[in-house]
């Protein structure tokens, strides 16, 4: 929870399609993992066992002498779990104990993330400035971004609360829905939960005279850790069917960073991605079989995480709790913008994978920013989410960003076998078969 990093993730495979097409689906059975999940609150959080950490809430609150490390760890677990009121309470209690500078800055940054996720940008800015003042390295452009949104009522809803719209899943196999921008332009938008922020091409932004948020530039990092320079803007309105939202923040990315070559070297250019900052405002149903998507705008009353939640937030993007070879639990990036499910090769040592012998594969992975990479593959491995497991005849591996806590990405070649429900109110990912 401590590192400042803004990732965006969209990945397509341009060769070697059989690498990710052979996936067999079966009910999931989970076995005890035998993996050390920590014996105290801080170690539980370091190992991402957030729900077990939250079970110790009454113990932490009942101590006559409060402990900074415990309060901080509990607040971090609640932040990751989307329990923002509780996280705010416990992190503020930790900072009230006047910890040393480094601990103070870490807690302040956690509080900044709490307020960011609640769209309270002015308060998020205040905590981020305190974190920076006490030694945490926070990029200046991030502070500028928070400042620019400090007095903006983002995602103001003026239309319907819910609507079902058509969804396309043509090559590349990532979900796209028709949207209307600023009341004047229709375009297909990729539903990309792996992108931290919604992204618009600079050509489309210029043609629509999208309001700029200052003159500062930021640096995003693509799936393969390549830096991408972006500017920032605010859409006057975004319509998904009859749902209309006003004041939608976007990153403005150069056109050449949003282009791919797909099969047969055909160009594929994107104009708009709907990222996690926007998608967190919804409960979504992506019905791949019927080619439709249901978006339901969440209200304050809908934010009530399920005791059995399997959806978490880490580094501003959604993670789903899953299994590897029926052992759990592990965190995967939930990425509807990735055609392919894959493992992070740098995390392989912690996974229940035996007798691994590296083999190269011919698939070429492309990420935002134009990065292209080949990698190794692992054979006959099972990935489980919710009640279902997918056994992959071959699963690619890539050296992904070590700053990410995930062991891999769950992408469309697994998700498209279900009706996918992502509920940021209940913090649940549900896979419905049939």
């Amino acid at each position: 929870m401590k590192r400042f990093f803004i990732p965006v993730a969209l990945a397509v495979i341009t060769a070697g399609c059989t690498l990710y097409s052979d996936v067999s689906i079966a009910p999931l059975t989970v076995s005890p993992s035998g993996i050390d999940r920590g014996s105290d609150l801080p170690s539980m959080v370091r190992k991402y066992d957030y729900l077990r950490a939250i079970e110790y809430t009454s113990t932490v609150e009942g101590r006559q002498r409060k402990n900074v490390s415990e309060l901080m760890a509990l607040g971090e677990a609640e932040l990751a779990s989307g329990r923002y009121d509780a996280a705010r309470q416990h992190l503020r209690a930790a900072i009230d104990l006047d910890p040393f500078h480094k601990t103070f800055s870490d807690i302040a940054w956690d509080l900044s993330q709490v307020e960011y996720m609640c769209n309270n940008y002015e308060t998020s800015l205040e905590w981020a400035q305190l974190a920076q003042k006490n030694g945490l390295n926070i990029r200046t452009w991030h502070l500028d971004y928070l400042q620019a949104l400090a007095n903006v009522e983002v995602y103001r809803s003026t239309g319907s609360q819910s609507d079902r719209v058509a969804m396309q899943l043509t090559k590349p196999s990532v979900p796209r829905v028709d949207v209307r921008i600023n009341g004047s332009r229709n375009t297909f938008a990729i539903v990309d939960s792996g992108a931290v922020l919604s992204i618009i091409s600079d050509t489309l932004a210029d043609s629509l005279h999208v309001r700029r948020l200052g003159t500062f530039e930021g640096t995003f990092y693509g799936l393969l850790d390549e830096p991408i320079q972006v500017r920032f803007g605010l859409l006057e309105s975004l319509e998904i069917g009859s749902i209309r939202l006003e004041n939608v923040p976007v990153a403005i990315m150069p056109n050449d960073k949003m282009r791919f070559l797909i099969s047969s070297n055909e160009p594929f250019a994107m104009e708009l991605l709907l990222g996690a900052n926007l998608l967190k405002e919804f409960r979504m149903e992506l019905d791949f079989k019927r080619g439709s998507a249901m978006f339901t705008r969440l209200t304050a009353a809908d934010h009530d995480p399920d005791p059995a939640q399997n959806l978490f937030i880490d580094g501003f993007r959604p993670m789903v709790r899953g299994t590897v070879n029926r052992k759990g639990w592990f965190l995967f990036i939930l990425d509807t913008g990735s055609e392919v499910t894959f493992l992070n090769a740098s995390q392989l040592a912690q996974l229940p994978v035996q007798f691994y012998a590296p083999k190269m594969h011919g698939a070429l992975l492309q990420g935002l920013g134009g990065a292209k990479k080949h990698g190794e593959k692992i054979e006959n491995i099972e990935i489980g989410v919710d009640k279902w497991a997918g056994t992959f005849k071959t699963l690619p591996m890539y050296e992904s960003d070590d700053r990410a806590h995930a062991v891999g990405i769950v992408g469309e070649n697994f998700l498209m076998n279900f009706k996918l429900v992502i509920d940021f109110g209940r913090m649940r990912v549900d896979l419905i078969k049939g």
Side-chain angles (χ1 to χ4, degrees):
M1 309 297 289
K2 298 298 180 295
R3 292 165 177 159
F4 180 79
F5 177 57
I6 299 293
V8 289
L10 186 141
V12 299
I13 290 286
T14 57
C17 293
T18 57
L19 182 68
Y20 64 89
S21 60
D22 293 329
V23 185
S24 58
I25 304 298
L28 174 64
T29 302
V30 183
S31 303
S33 69
I35 296 174
D36 176 22
R37 292 301 184 188
S39 57
D40 56 25
L41 272 169
S43 62
M44 291 176 200
V45 172
R46 285 195 299 271
K47 297 175 183 298
Y48 323 122
D49 199 356
Y50 301 124
L51 294 184
R52 189 156 70 97
I54 290 172
E55 292 175 359
Y56 286 80
T57 298
S58 59
T59 301
V60 173
E61 292 181 340
R63 294 196 192 282
Q64 185 172 2
R65 186 172 182 177
K66 306 302 182 186
N67 181 287
V68 170
S69 296
E70 285 189 339
L71 285 166
M72 178 180 174
L74 180 57
E76 288 182 340
E78 291 161 337
L79 165 59
S81 303
R83 302 161 193 253
Y84 301 123
D85 289 341
R88 187 183 292 114
Q89 173 192 338
H90 293 122
L91 290 170
R92 286 187 174 180
I95 217 165
D96 285 344
L97 294 175
D98 196 23
F100 292 114
H101 282 296
K102 183 183 184 306
T103 303
F104 185 101
S105 66
D106 288 343
I107 299 171
W109 176 238
D110 288 335
L111 281 164
S112 180
Q113 292 180 75
V114 168
E115 302 302 343
Y116 181 97
M117 295 303 297
C118 295
N119 302 326
N120 299 326
Y121 295 108
E122 184 173 8
T123 308
S124 179
L125 173 63
E126 292 171 355
W127 284 117
Q129 289 171 329
L130 277 173
Q132 185 186 61
K133 182 180 178 181
N134 282 270
L136 195 65
N137 181 23
I138 297 178
R139 304 291 176 84
T140 300
W141 67 259
H142 180 70
L143 302 178
D144 291 337
Y145 176 74
L146 295 177
Q147 180 68 66
L149 292 174
N151 297 309
V152 178
E153 184 185 352
V154 297
Y155 312 121
R156 184 169 58 206
S157 180
T158 59
S160 300
Q161 288 297 109
S162 182
D163 201 1
R164 184 177 294 277
V165 297
M167 180 178 71
Q168 290 191 11
L169 200 70
T170 54
K171 284 293 182 182
S173 299
V174 289
R176 299 186 279 279
V177 296
D178 184 58
V179 301
R180 189 168 181 82
I181 305 173
N182 289 355
S184 62
R185 171 69 181 272
N186 282 66
T187 188
F188 278 104
I190 294 174
V191 182
D192 186 4
S193 60
V196 167
L197 198 65
S198 297
I199 302 171
I200 190 171
S201 70
D202 55 6
T203 296
L204 182 56
D206 289 342
S207 69
L208 293 173
H209 305 289
V210 170
R211 172 187 164 189
R212 297 299 196 267
L213 292 176
T215 58
F216 58 94
E217 290 188 348
T219 303
F220 284 6
Y221 290 87
L223 185 65
L224 304 178
D225 205 20
E226 66 283 1
I228 308 169
Q229 296 301 121
V230 298
R231 295 171 293 156
F232 299 92
L234 199 66
L235 302 184
E236 176 185 321
S237 66
L238 177 72
E239 297 170 62
I240 307 172
S242 59
I243 301 170
R244 187 174 189 270
L245 299 179
E246 297 178 352
N247 300 328
V248 177
V250 290
I252 302 170
M253 187 172 288
N255 285 6
D256 63 333
K257 302 298 183 182
M258 300 180 67
R259 291 176 180 154
F260 297 92
L261 287 177
I262 55 177
S263 57
S264 302
N265 285 325
E266 296 178 8
F268 175 71
M270 298 168 288
E271 290 190 313
L272 183 67
L273 281 73
L274 306 182
N277 68 314
L278 171 69
L279 300 179
K280 69 177 173 55
E281 304 292 316
F282 292 97
R283 178 186 186 273
M284 297 180 295
E285 296 180 11
L286 304 183
D287 193 330
F288 297 99
K289 183 177 181 180
R290 293 174 176 80
S292 68
M294 172 74 82
F295 290 82
T296 301
R297 182 78 158 89
L298 297 173
T299 66
D302 296 321
H303 288 278
D304 185 20
D306 192 294
Q309 74 178 86
N310 60 359
L311 181 63
F312 301 89
I313 302 294
D314 187 10
F316 305 106
R317 60 181 170 179
M319 305 276 184
V320 64
R321 186 182 71 175
T323 64
V324 177
N325 288 342
R326 304 194 179 186
K327 306 288 186 180
W329 300 99
F330 302 97
L331 287 184
F332 293 84
I333 298 169
L334 178 66
D335 192 358
T336 57
S338 175
E339 278 195 302
V340 63
T341 299
F342 65 88
L343 293 178
N344 184 348
S346 65
Q347 300 286 334
L348 190 65
Q350 68 167 297
L351 299 180
V353 177
Q354 297 179 341
F355 310 116
Y356 167 65
K359 297 180 180 180
M360 295 301 295
H361 61 74
L364 178 64
L365 182 75
Q366 289 190 78
L368 277 177
K372 300 177 182 179
K373 193 168 185 179
H374 290 279
E376 297 175 343
K377 65 181 179 180
I378 191 167
E379 297 181 339
N380 298 316
I381 187 168
E382 181 189 274
I383 305 295
V385 175
D386 189 32
K387 300 179 179 65
W388 297 96
T391 299
F392 294 77
K393 185 175 181 180
T394 55
L395 191 67
M397 297 192 305
Y398 297 91
E399 288 287 349
S400 190
D401 172 49
D402 282 336
R403 289 168 289 193
H405 295 154
V407 299
I409 279 180
V410 174
E412 288 302 321
N413 59 331
F414 178 77
L415 299 173
M416 67 188 301
N417 293 284
F418 311 93
K419 181 169 75 171
L420 169 65
V421 180
I422 307 174
D423 189 337
F424 286 96
R426 296 176 56 242
M427 297 299 289
R428 281 282 310 173
V429 174
D430 292 294
L431 305 178
I432 302 171
K433 200 79 170 72

